[in-house]
Amino acid sequence: MTESPPRAWAEIDRSALHHNLQLARRHSGEEVMAVIKGGAYGHGLVEIAKELDKQNLPFLGVANTGEARCLSKEGIKTRPYILGATLQSEREEIAACGWTPCLCSFEEMEHFNLLGKDSPIEAHLALDTGMGRGGFLPHQLGEALEKLSKASGIKLTGVGSHLPVADEDPVFTRKQFELFDSMVESIPGRNEKFHIHLSNSAGLLDYQSRTTNLARPGLLLYGISPLPKYQKALKPVMALKSRISMINHLPKGHGVSYGRTILKRDTKAAILGLGYGDGYPRSLSGKEVSVLINNSPCPLLGRVTMDQIIVDVTELEICCPGDEAELFGPNLLVSDLSKKAETIPWEILTQITPRVTRFYR
Ligand SMILES: *Cc1c(COP(=O)(O)O)cnc(C)c1O
């Protein structure tokens, strides 16, 4: 017996990932910490990590110890970097496994110093230059450096900060780059190997720093630009797809889906085997959204249900059960869909559920 194929799947294009990584390197002229938190933005943590592991990157950016452990268990050689503050209960494992934390508070610094008394822990210093999500404020930097100089359990190998509005507010972001650069310049004993990083995708694309030598792109590696003017240079990595299960000829005045959206004309309605249970946002219900079938846009009809959606294929001359539909991908940007769903592409990508089989090519 052969297994039947899934109704909804995601095609992940490895060559597009490499194209985007190359662009990140060339455009920034810096080393890249590939951010693969959130299961590599829904693309599959381990598969994407394996692909990037061949790329000689200094770090893979993960959210927590669970993600770091997945990488270590799979034999990924590139060091996991834990983005953000750590819980006390996570630090023993971080120290033992050689993952790189960023020190976000005096408490974290003191604890890691204790854990590293026999064998020093390589860590970065986190600066809060505007994100408000941990890290040392400008007036705390002197004291932090003072404490670090006496902390024999910690080997400081880098410094970083994060941008809250790089895709929204250039005035604030330019000031933030200046603040970060001047804070970094006051850190003594920086050598060439010392990693200095500030930029996410938008920062990498649109800003310049005097001090940084490492960028932390996430979204752009997956081929989506947070700033539309750079979209053309990127290649979307994921295509979300499904198939027509059946086609209904429904009369004007008939309802479709929960809530009974009333048809305004006689309609050829195709049912697709995917819904919010796969991560296709329910908030797209009633919005002007289309899916692509045989390269033609077919408007969504009625509400998105858990496992199925209905689309209008009246205008399509040829279409039949089994035909493929692209929900988003290279031909229909997830960033356009996210606007209509009143959310951001990061959320849509990470919410594609495990029921959606990922195929890598
Ligand atoms: C998620 C994250 C990034 C990547 O952000 P993108 O906008 O997806 O490029 C970079 N740095 C930190 C600290 C993050 O949490």
Side-chain angles (χ1 to χ4, degrees), residues 35 37 41 83 133 162 199-202 216-220 346:
V35 176
K37 65 188 181 192
Y41 291 43
L83 300 154
R133 205 173 65 175
H162 194 27
S199 279
N200 53 7
S201 297
R216 302 184 314 263
L219 193 66
L220 91 75
W346 292 262

Side-chain angles (χ1 to χ4, degrees), residues 17 33-53 57 59-64 67-68 70-71 76 78-81 83 216-219 221-222 350:
L17 178 72
M33 172 195 304
V35 176
I36 60 167
K37 65 188 181 192
Y41 291 43
H43 292 64
L45 184 72
V46 170
E47 288 292 336
I48 296 296
K50 281 185 181 163
E51 207 50 41
L52 294 170
D53 203 26
L57 306 177
F59 300 104
L60 294 172
V62 296
N64 55 39
E67 290 187 330
C70 268
L71 303 187
I76 305 291
T78 315
R79 241 175 197 254
Y81 178 95
L83 300 154
R216 302 184 314 263
L219 193 66
L221 295 179
Y222 308 102
T350 51

Side-chain angles (χ1 to χ4, degrees), residues 4 109 282:
S4 44
M109 190 184 280
R282 186 173 176 277

Side-chain angles (χ1 to χ4, degrees), residues 83-113:
L83 300 154
T86 59
L87 271 80
Q88 212 209 314
S89 54
E90 298 170 338
R91 294 180 198 146
E92 215 177 289
E93 185 181 12
I94 292 170
C97 296
W99 305 330
T100 304
C102 57
L103 308 170
C104 292
S105 65
F106 288 111
E107 188 268 327
E108 228 179 335
M109 190 184 280
E110 280 152 25
H111 192 186
F112 276 117
N113 186 32

Side-chain angles (χ1 to χ4, degrees), residues 5 14 37 46-47 51 69 85 130 142 159 163 166 172 199 210 224 229 234 255 276 294-295 348:
R14 292 188 172 98
K37 65 188 181 192
V46 170
E47 288 292 336
E51 207 50 41
R69 197 181 309 126
V159 59
L163 304 167
F172 181 87
S199 279
R210 295 195 297 276
I224 301 300
K229 63 179 163 171
L234 298 172
Y276 64 79
N294 300 328
N295 284 321
I348 294 196

Side-chain angles (χ1 to χ4, degrees), residues 24-272:
R25 282 171 155 159
R26 264 205 326 273
H27 192 90
S28 66
E30 298 182 347
E31 278 195 286
V32 168
M33 172 195 304
V35 176
I36 60 167
K37 65 188 181 192
Y41 291 43
H43 292 64
L45 184 72
V46 170
E47 288 292 336
I48 296 296
K50 281 185 181 163
E51 207 50 41
L52 294 170
D53 203 26
K54 309 167 196 162
Q55 289 293 321
N56 224 345
L57 306 177
F59 300 104
L60 294 172
V62 296
N64 55 39
T65 48
E67 290 187 330
R69 197 181 309 126
C70 268
L71 303 187
S72 296
K73 278 194 178 144
E74 292 288 333
I76 305 291
K77 299 284 184 300
T78 315
R79 241 175 197 254
Y81 178 95
I82 316 275
L83 300 154
T86 59
L87 271 80
Q88 212 209 314
S89 54
E90 298 170 338
R91 294 180 198 146
E92 215 177 289
E93 185 181 12
I94 292 170
C97 296
W99 305 330
T100 304
C102 57
L103 308 170
C104 292
S105 65
F106 288 111
E107 188 268 327
E108 228 179 335
M109 190 184 280
E110 280 152 25
H111 192 186
F112 276 117
N113 186 32
L114 268 175
L115 290 168
K117 65 182 184 306
D118 296 325
S119 128
I121 292 158
E122 291 191 17
H124 289 196
L125 189 65
L127 306 179
D128 183 355
T129 55
M131 182 70 183
R133 205 173 65 175
F136 295 89
L137 292 161
H139 77 271
Q140 298 173 311
L141 180 58
E143 190 185 347
L145 293 172
E146 169 82 26
K147 289 209 161 120
L148 276 171
S149 70
K150 293 172 195 148
S152 57
I154 294 173
K155 183 175 179 227
L156 194 69
T157 55
V159 59
S161 188
H162 194 27
L163 304 167
V165 285
D167 53 354
E168 293 175 31
D169 185 345
V171 174
F172 181 87
T173 305
R174 272 195 293 274
K175 274 193 213 140
Q176 207 188 349
F177 268 77
E178 178 52 42
L179 172 63
F180 179 76
D181 285 340
S182 64
M183 285 173 83
V184 168
E185 281 161 347
S186 76
I187 300 174
R190 290 171 283 130
N191 60 22
E192 266 164 35
K193 283 195 217 142
F194 194 73
H195 281 122
I196 303 169
H197 48 100
L198 174 60
S199 279
N200 53 7
S201 297
L204 181 160
L205 289 167
D206 238 12
Y207 296 86
Q208 292 263 304
S209 151
R210 295 195 297 276
T211 62
T212 59
N213 54 20
L214 177 68
R216 302 184 314 263
L219 193 66
L220 91 75
L221 295 179
Y222 308 102
I224 301 300
S225 178
L227 303 164
K229 63 179 163 171
Y230 297 101
Q231 184 58 51
K232 273 206 178 70
L234 298 172
K235 293 188 178 168
V237 175
M238 185 193 289
L240 180 65
K241 296 200 171 171
S242 184
R243 269 181 217 290
I244 299 178
S245 50
M246 70 169 292
I247 295 169
N248 278 318
H249 295 266
L250 298 172
K252 178 179 169 181
H254 197 82
V256 279
S257 192
Y258 294 116
R260 297 188 59 239
T261 303
I262 301 299
L263 294 171
K264 293 195 180 75
R265 59 170 183 180
D266 292 349
T267 302
K268 193 161 81 166
I271 303 175
L272 300 179

